[in-house]
Amino acid sequence: MTDDHEHYEAVVVGAGPGGAAAAAALARQGVETLVLERGVDAGSKNVSGGLIYAEESAPYTIDSLFPDFREAASERPVDDYYIHNVSGRDVKTFDLGRIHRHDTDWCDAVLRRKMDSWLAERVHELTRETGGGLLTEVRVNGLLRENGEIVGVTCDELDPITADLIVAADGVNSELARDAGLMDWDEPDDWFQGVKAVVEMEPDAIADRFGIDDDEGAAHLFSGDLFEGVRGGGFLYTNEDSLSVGTVFHLDSLAAERAEPHELLDALLTHPLLDQWLQGEYEEREYAAKLVPDSKKVAHPSPHRGRLLLVGDAAGQMQAQGPIIKGMNHAVTAGGLAAEAYADAKTRGDPSAAGELYEAKLNEEGVMDQLRPARYRATRSVSESDLLGTIGDAVIRSPIGAAGLKAFDGAIERAFNSPFLLGMVPDTRFSYVTLPTRIGEVLGEPVTGDNDVEPPDLADRIGDLTYDVGEPHIELVDNSFEASGTAVTACPVSAVGFGGGCYREETVRTNGSEERLVSLDTQPCVECGTCAIVADTEWEHPAGGKGVEYEQG
């Protein structure tokens, strides 16, 4: 190995919950660990819905690794959990308490800037004791190789660093996973896109309007006909003095419908159902967006290559199965297991075996079965077929379908609370749009109130974000509308006819002919990565400390 490079026993890339878990577990094993974080502060680049779970069956939870976590870094414990099936003004609500409490020790709402910053302080203290530490504003841009073997990482701001173990916890747009050939951006249906607003609300108002105590929280999900037929839904989580309100959609559906993410978010925010909580008051703290991996399709069964181990979103470890939405807890478990695997490999005298041991532990602990349920893979070819969808639509819209919904009202709610059934929910329009709309139409009660809140327009939302622009980090390879026009609508900070976003459409007239072209301006980019999938681009992260900086996350 080259002696010219600085060497650490372990390098962890990314200081989110997965990276923090890995670093803390490594440091407690006495492993010299360096953590490299791209943001100006841990959490400044991160966005989640977000609820973090501690599962009873998990070998690692965030509070087992960081005992003061809940008191210092989370928002509210979430006990109440509901889903609202919407058809116009008619809404049928199901209590999801059973599925929410299934295998759950506790669940808290979190905001990533607060949470990740607190975790980073603890991680820095732990890793310094072993000769390492945490550095921010460092973008790790790739893997260092010698004779074809991965031996370290390369950075924009630092010289290459070698390590015996590299943990890639650098998120859904992981440049290390892509460099290693373990992740790609080829298929839009492998991904969701999440868009979120953090909304001001006083603690007393939250307690009163949601019917909870000061030390309690609530979660609400939304599905049905309020999202222009796009497959997905909405969420609302109570924080200490704010609400997290957002939408999550299958990216292929969002692209196909040419729907604009900010408008779908506004459709939720302005629906009459939300008046009971907003009551005409609306002050938006922050607008944010990110890609979300669909673990059923992209959770890597062998998330390692040589010395490189992937954890969290970088490994596609985001569970989204109907109303089950879990990611951060799986990242924490994976981080702990990665550290455990390395320690076991060292004990056996073969540190290079860490990857294989990590893969085995993910399977032995049941993590992969949660992320990639075998029953979904077994039923997908039938349940997601066009024929079955057509038949299902016809039946559910018929008088027989309506009678069945009325007769099996209680059974439907029980089905929504079944981990087994939710593990094979097909990713179809029937599941996400037709069925919940019909449930709302047949079983729902009308919402009588009006909702007259006015969310900010897209220009104001972009203008309220913090940027340190830096150099352009995306190259538009093919600027034809055919190749890249989908980015105009799918990008959460772009829109048709809006001149202030990343992607803009224009018609160019040359020698009597017209051509539709797309132009790019990376200055307002929120670094979600959507355009890397739906447009012909070369995409990478901005340099360390550059680009968007989230205050809430």
Side-chain angles (χ1 to χ4, degrees):
M1 184 183 300
T2 301
D3 296 328
D4 295 338
H5 301 311
E6 190 170 6
H7 181 83
Y8 290 85
E9 189 172 1
V11 169
V12 176
V13 181
L26 285 165
R28 289 193 173 108
Q29 294 277 358
V31 177
E32 179 192 43
T33 305
L34 176 68
V35 184
L36 301 174
E37 164 59 39
R38 186 169 57 88
V40 297
D41 191 14
S44 65
K45 292 292 185 183
N46 299 337
V47 178
S48 293
L51 300 181
I52 187 167
Y53 285 80
E55 292 186 320
E56 293 171 349
S57 62
Y60 294 93
T61 62
I62 195 72
D63 60 326
S64 70
L65 291 166
F66 301 94
D68 299 327
F69 172 83
R70 299 188 71 193
E71 294 76 14
S74 67
E75 296 291 314
R76 288 175 181 262
V78 172
D79 301 309
D80 298 339
Y81 201 70
Y82 303 95
I83 189 167
H84 306 279
N85 299 275
V86 180
S87 175
R89 280 181 167 265
D90 294 328
V91 179
K92 175 63 177 179
T93 300
F94 290 142
D95 187 336
L96 297 181
R98 289 193 297 277
I99 189 64
H100 177 61
R101 289 186 288 272
H102 173 72
D103 194 28
T104 299
D105 186 15
W106 56 263
C107 171
D108 286 357
V110 295
L111 293 169
R112 291 296 297 274
R113 183 67 181 263
K114 172 184 173 181
M115 180 183 87
D116 291 6
S117 295
W118 183 87
L119 290 173
E121 291 178 5
R122 310 287 87 72
V123 165
H124 188 52
E125 293 168 0
L126 287 167
T127 53
R128 282 184 64 185
E129 294 176 2
T130 65
L134 184 149
L135 298 177
T136 59
E137 300 188 64
V138 176
R139 174 188 168 233
V140 176
N141 57 32
L143 296 166
L144 180 69
R145 292 177 171 87
E146 286 187 359
N147 300 319
E149 177 190 354
I150 297 169
V151 297
V153 297
T154 58
C155 312
D156 284 354
E157 295 79 17
L158 303 174
D159 290 335
I161 299 168
T162 60
D164 300 323
L165 172 72
I166 303 157
V167 177
D170 51 337
V172 67
N173 304 322
S174 171
E175 287 168 300
L176 298 187
R178 284 182 283 136
D179 190 350
L182 296 173
M183 188 71 76
D184 62 53
W185 281 341
D186 292 342
E187 300 297 334
D189 66 351
D190 288 347
W191 309 93
F192 301 91
Q193 184 202 77
V195 174
K196 170 183 164 182
V198 178
V199 182
E200 293 267 4
M201 188 170 288
E202 290 296 324
D204 289 346
I206 293 174
D208 179 59
R209 297 175 190 181
F210 287 87
I212 56 179
D213 291 336
D214 291 342
D215 59 349
E216 295 177 334
H220 294 262
L221 304 181
F222 308 87
S223 62
D225 69 353
L226 68 171
F227 299 122
E228 300 180 14
V230 183
R231 301 192 332 271
F235 63 85
L236 183 156
Y237 306 140
T238 54
N239 302 317
E240 185 177 343
D241 61 357
S242 66
L243 307 178
S244 291
V245 187
T247 53
V248 181
F249 297 106
H250 288 267
L251 185 56
D252 63 319
S253 181
L254 189 75
E257 299 294 336
R258 294 284 182 177
E260 297 188 344
H262 69 286
E263 293 183 349
L264 299 179
L265 173 63
D266 289 347
L268 173 59
L269 289 166
T270 59
H271 191 276
L273 180 61
L274 269 68
D275 181 63
Q276 62 185 303
W277 303 307
L278 299 179
Q279 297 186 8
E281 302 171 1
Y282 191 86
E283 183 66 31
E284 194 168 293
R285 286 185 186 174
E286 187 170 79
Y287 174 76
K290 69 164 292 185
L291 282 182
V292 181
D294 184 348
S295 70
K296 300 188 302 297
K297 301 164 186 172
V298 298
H300 205 295
S302 301
H304 59 91
R305 180 151 298 168
R307 304 179 189 190
L308 176 70
L309 278 60
L310 311 180
V311 304
D313 278 2
Q317 295 166 342
M318 169 67 197
Q319 184 183 11
Q321 297 158 14
I324 299 176
I325 305 172
K326 296 179 178 179
M328 289 179 281
N329 60 304
H330 293 309
V332 169
T333 291
L337 291 176
E340 183 182 303
Y342 179 71
D344 288 355
K346 279 183 61 182
T347 300
R348 300 179 185 188
D350 184 12
S352 66
E356 293 179 359
L357 290 174
Y358 172 53
E359 178 181 340
K361 290 174 184 292
L362 288 172
N363 285 288
E364 291 164 3
E365 295 291 348
V367 177
M368 293 308 298
D369 188 53
Q370 287 180 281
L371 297 172
R372 300 188 67 139
R375 56 195 179 279
Y376 171 77
R377 298 196 301 276
T379 58
R380 180 185 181 188
S381 61
V382 175
S383 64
E384 295 184 2
S385 68
D386 291 340
L387 176 60
L388 191 63
T390 301
I391 295 172
D393 281 1
V395 171
I396 202 67
R397 296 179 190 277
S398 70
I400 295 175
L405 290 175
K406 291 176 182 178
F408 295 99
D409 186 352
I412 297 169
E413 185 171 71
R414 289 192 294 275
F416 270 79
N417 280 279
S418 166
F420 180 81
L421 293 177
L422 293 176
M424 54 185 180
V425 170
D427 287 339
T428 61
R429 183 184 175 97
F430 178 84
S431 301
Y432 285 93
V433 182
T434 308
L435 179 59
T437 300
R438 191 66 169 145
I439 290 172
E441 181 181 11
V442 174
L443 303 178
E445 297 291 336
V447 177
T448 57
D450 292 318
N451 184 349
D452 57 2
V453 302
E454 296 182 5
D457 63 22
L458 191 55
D460 288 338
R461 281 171 162 158
I462 294 172
D464 288 341
L465 290 170
T466 300
Y467 294 92
D468 186 346
V469 178
E471 298 296 322
H473 61 284
I474 308 171
E475 179 186 353
L476 186 57
V477 177
D478 186 337
N479 70 341
S480 69
F481 187 84
E482 181 181 7
S484 301
T486 305
V488 177
T489 51
C491 169
V493 294
S494 301
V496 173
F498 176 57
C502 286
Y503 288 90
R504 305 158 194 180
E505 174 191 352
E506 55 188 342
T507 300
V508 177
R509 295 175 176 83
T510 306
N511 298 327
S513 63
E514 292 186 350
E515 185 178 10
R516 295 173 77 189
L517 300 176
V518 175
S519 60
L520 167 67
D521 178 2
T522 61
Q523 179 168 338
C525 177
V526 291
E527 302 166 31
C528 65
T530 296
C531 61
I533 302 173
V534 303
D536 189 355
T537 66
E538 293 291 337
W539 196 102
E540 59 184 23
H541 288 112
K546 302 299 182 181
V548 69
E549 177 185 347
Y550 290 119
E551 299 295 336
Q552 304 291 318

